[in-house]
Amino acid sequence: MAVCDHVEGLVAVPSGPFYGPLAHGFACGAHLPVHVSRPWNTLDDPVRDHQSARASLADGWGVTTAAAWQRQVDLLLTAAEVPDGPNAVLDARRRLLREHGTRDPTAWRRAVPTELVPLVGVITRYEARFRADGVLPPDGVVDSVLGYDFGQAVNLARWGHGARFCDRRTAEAAVLRAGELCRRHYRSWADFSAGYALGRVLRFDQEQYGHMYLSVRGPHRLLMTEPSSPWCHLPF
């Protein structure tokens, strides 16, 4: 893997799941642990350093209590934090394809509210870059960005357990639910990954193709090709 992708390798713990629904759920949150070289198939350890986990949740999410953690997980699992714009724009394209058999960019722009027309261009450019970098197939597009919130829910479950904001059963229930939702909205690991990637870069990258872009491109490439990757041995 190229150094510019900021990915060193795939890490797993032998005691964690490698098969079954729980492993699938963890694999739906794998982008981030792969990016930072942490195990993809486990919750964070509440014994090791729960104060550090709490500090990270407070800094990154504004989560400082168990109740706040639960609220945030629920928001992610109900896609309540997904911006309306990308969903509306992607819904319009799906509707065009379903009703008229076309993804024509001009028709697509006409099908969205005026204030969302610039977003059509942003998504089109990201998808072109995804295709060039192998995140999408040559004729591929992204149908949903919900996968980003579902993947984030998996990682919030990891961190919440490590911060002692929930017990193992509660955290694993969130991981399982995220996996179920990903299966509902996507057809394959590649399809899910592209949706996760677009959701992330639309929020944070601002067409810079910088760190935020690399933080999804590198994990995507590794997870799609490494023989030990859960995406290579777990059915979606």
Side-chain angles (χ1 to χ4, degrees):
M1 187 61 56
V3 173
C4 64
D5 274 337
H6 301 173
V7 174
E8 296 180 2
L10 192 69
V11 182
V13 296
S15 59
F18 289 88
Y19 298 96
L22 187 58
H24 175 270
F26 276 128
C28 290
H31 287 88
L32 189 54
V34 167
H35 174 60
V36 297
S37 299
R38 297 291 300 275
W40 66 269
N41 66 336
T42 189
L43 300 170
D44 281 4
D45 185 354
V47 175
R48 186 182 60 184
D49 189 4
H50 78 278
Q51 293 294 354
S52 176
R54 290 191 177 192
S56 294
L57 283 170
D59 182 57
W61 291 85
V63 168
T64 58
T65 67
W69 172 85
Q70 187 65 65
R71 284 194 298 272
Q72 186 61 59
V73 170
D74 291 343
L75 286 171
L76 292 170
L77 291 175
T78 56
E81 294 212 327
V82 176
D84 292 335
N87 272 336
V89 169
L90 294 174
D91 285 347
R93 183 169 61 183
R94 286 198 305 273
R95 189 165 56 251
L96 275 174
L97 183 62
R98 182 175 64 251
E99 296 176 359
H100 303 288
T102 181
R103 290 174 176 158
D104 176 66
T106 300
W108 187 16
R109 288 183 174 88
R110 291 172 180 163
V112 304
T114 303
E115 66 272 17
L116 296 181
V117 169
L119 190 54
V120 171
V122 174
I123 291 173
T124 299
R125 290 187 291 274
Y126 269 121
E127 289 177 330
R129 181 64 176 266
F130 283 2
R131 288 189 286 270
D133 286 350
V135 177
L136 279 171
D139 60 347
V141 296
V142 175
D143 285 332
S144 170
V145 294
L146 297 179
Y148 180 66
D149 272 31
F150 302 151
Q152 286 289 81
V154 174
N155 288 299
L156 206 64
R158 296 183 204 278
W159 304 326
H161 184 260
R164 302 184 187 175
F165 284 152
C166 65
D167 59 19
R168 176 172 292 276
R169 181 177 179 181
T170 302
E172 290 183 348
V175 172
L176 287 166
R177 180 59 177 157
E180 292 169 359
L181 289 166
C182 288
R183 279 185 169 140
R184 181 181 301 176
H185 290 276
Y186 297 96
R187 302 176 299 274
S188 67
W189 288 115
D191 185 37
F192 158 71
S193 185
Y196 176 98
L198 185 60
R200 182 169 174 83
V201 298
L202 284 177
R203 294 191 207 187
F204 302 116
D205 184 61
Q206 300 179 333
E207 290 194 89
Q208 296 300 305
Y209 302 95
H211 173 78
M212 288 297 179
Y213 181 79
L214 296 177
S215 73
V216 288
R217 186 185 71 177
H220 171 90
R221 288 175 166 177
L222 184 66
L223 285 159
M224 289 297 298
T225 59
E226 168 60 44
S228 65
S229 164
W231 293 8
C232 293
H233 70 256
L234 277 171
F236 188 76

